[in-house]
Amino acid sequence: MAELKVTYDITFPEIEELIFLLKNVSDFDLSGYTRSSLKRRIQRIMNLESLDFVDLKNALINIPGFQQFFIQEVTVNVTEMFRDPAFFNRLNTEIIPYLQTFPRIKIWSAGCSTGEEVYSLAILLKENNLYDRSFIYGTDINSKVLDIAKKGIYPLRKFKDYSDNFNAYNSKESLSKYYTARYEAAIINHDIRQNILFSTHNLASDQVFNEFHLITCRNVLIYFDLELQERVINLFYESLALFGFLCLGTKETILKHPVMANFKVVDKEFNIYQKIK
């Protein structure tokens, strides 16, 4: 007879208790994340690991490695190469001409997950003969996904969709010229990886670490509450060079934030802004 699978639920007061516990035992602060997003992801962990709330707290305190596992699972990691091809078309037509005027180009992809968007930006720069004078920083809070990004090795099966995205953005070239297929894996070519640095960065607590001409952070802010969104948007403003660009997700905007007075809208559909003061 098949064993019935037990599902576990977590209440919002219990989520607050977990946030307080995690901050005290690991210094990792989830307080700025929306509670609905946390609830879905924590319940997923509880059901995967067959843990009730008491078991979960015990694991966070007493089981070696569980804190890191929990943090990796609760942070959001969704990305693909040339996601939203029309967005990359806008970059090509609206932003590349500005970037061409800078002697050195520094780009920050915040919340880069496994790195596909970083490599997409590198290819975009390569196509416009800008990559040799560019440097891209890819950051994420999740060290596990950054390990994948650093290697630049992805399942070959994903490249059907990635190629479709690329062809929708650029029908004249083939994405295959930028990677090498080996067995069931695709390896991003060395000349695309050489001007990239992946490192951990916590948008909720870390500070400015460079001055950038372009910052992309797409579909990350939607998981933050309004207070944390405000902090991160100010961080991006302080991290941008004058006349640098900020690119957010299609459901993210700075239009209602006080910092908007220092930007102009480049593209409202794709939430692309330029720092003007």
Side-chain angles (χ1 to χ4, degrees):
M1 187 173 181
E3 184 179 343
L4 290 175
K5 184 174 177 60
V6 179
T7 58
Y8 299 92
D9 197 8
I10 187 168
T11 66
F12 287 109
E14 288 172 338
I15 290 174
E16 299 304 320
E17 187 177 340
L18 269 187
I19 290 170
F20 180 79
L21 171 67
L22 197 60
K23 189 173 182 180
N24 279 276
V25 299
S26 72
D27 293 326
F28 185 78
D29 190 357
L30 285 171
S31 59
Y33 286 70
T34 60
R35 299 308 187 258
S36 58
S37 174
L38 286 178
K39 182 178 176 68
R40 289 193 302 271
R41 290 186 167 265
I42 292 172
Q43 282 187 183
R44 176 178 174 275
I45 295 169
M46 293 170 74
N47 290 322
L48 280 174
E49 302 297 315
S50 298
L51 301 172
D52 61 21
F53 183 62
V54 173
D55 293 334
L56 179 60
K57 289 195 299 180
N58 178 66
L60 285 168
I61 295 170
N62 296 313
I63 297 179
F66 189 84
Q67 285 177 24
Q68 185 63 26
F69 163 77
F70 180 86
I71 292 167
Q72 289 167 352
E73 291 297 316
V74 86
T75 52
V76 178
N77 302 299
V78 179
T79 188
E80 59 187 51
M81 292 192 76
F82 290 91
R83 179 178 56 172
D84 301 326
F87 166 73
F88 283 91
N89 273 315
R90 295 296 201 285
L91 291 186
N92 201 36
T93 57
E94 302 291 340
I95 296 181
I96 287 296
Y98 276 91
L99 296 183
Q100 287 171 334
T101 67
F102 298 120
R104 296 289 298 169
I105 302 164
K106 287 181 285 186
I107 296 174
W108 177 17
S109 176
C112 71
S113 188
T114 46
E116 283 94 329
E117 182 158 293
V118 174
Y119 292 121
S120 302
L121 291 169
I123 291 169
L124 175 67
L125 293 166
K126 189 82 170 178
E127 291 183 326
N128 286 279
N129 298 315
L130 293 176
Y131 191 61
D132 289 344
R133 54 188 166 106
S134 302
F135 200 89
I136 308 175
Y137 295 82
T139 67
D140 202 279
I141 195 171
N142 187 329
S143 60
K144 184 178 180 181
V145 297
L146 287 175
D147 288 340
I148 297 171
K150 291 173 184 176
K151 294 174 183 174
I153 302 174
Y154 304 101
L156 187 60
R157 56 182 166 74
K158 291 187 175 184
F159 275 73
K160 170 63 170 68
D161 290 336
Y162 296 173
S163 293
D164 289 344
N165 289 347
F166 179 78
N167 291 335
Y169 147 73
N170 179 355
S171 59
K172 297 178 182 178
E173 302 284 347
S174 172
L175 184 61
S176 62
K177 68 185 289 187
Y178 299 109
Y179 69 87
T180 302
R182 292 183 182 174
Y183 302 104
E184 299 302 315
I187 305 170
I188 303 297
N189 292 344
H190 176 73
D191 63 330
I192 297 297
R193 291 187 282 121
Q194 62 184 359
N195 292 357
I196 295 171
L197 177 67
F198 290 103
S199 62
T200 56
H201 183 276
N202 187 345
L203 290 171
S205 58
D206 291 341
Q207 304 302 315
V208 174
F209 64 93
N210 214 314
E211 185 178 68
F212 299 95
H213 303 102
L214 170 63
I215 297 174
T216 66
C217 184
R218 299 199 295 148
N219 304 314
V220 175
L221 295 183
I222 55 174
Y223 298 102
F224 296 164
D225 64 23
L226 292 177
E227 183 179 351
L228 183 52
Q229 286 182 22
E230 193 74 39
R231 182 205 186 276
V232 174
I233 289 168
N234 286 326
L235 172 67
F236 290 155
Y237 169 72
E238 293 167 3
S239 301
L240 275 172
L242 186 62
F243 303 121
F245 295 88
L246 173 63
C247 301
L248 303 176
T250 54
K251 296 181 180 179
E252 301 163 331
T253 179
I254 64 171
L255 291 176
K256 295 182 180 179
H257 291 268
V259 77
M260 184 61 213
N262 301 313
F263 285 89
K264 77 170 184 179
V265 178
V266 175
D267 190 289
K268 191 172 183 180
E269 179 184 0
F270 289 100
N271 287 308
I272 301 174
Y273 308 92
Q274 185 177 32
K275 179 177 177 177
I276 56 174
K277 60 181 178 179

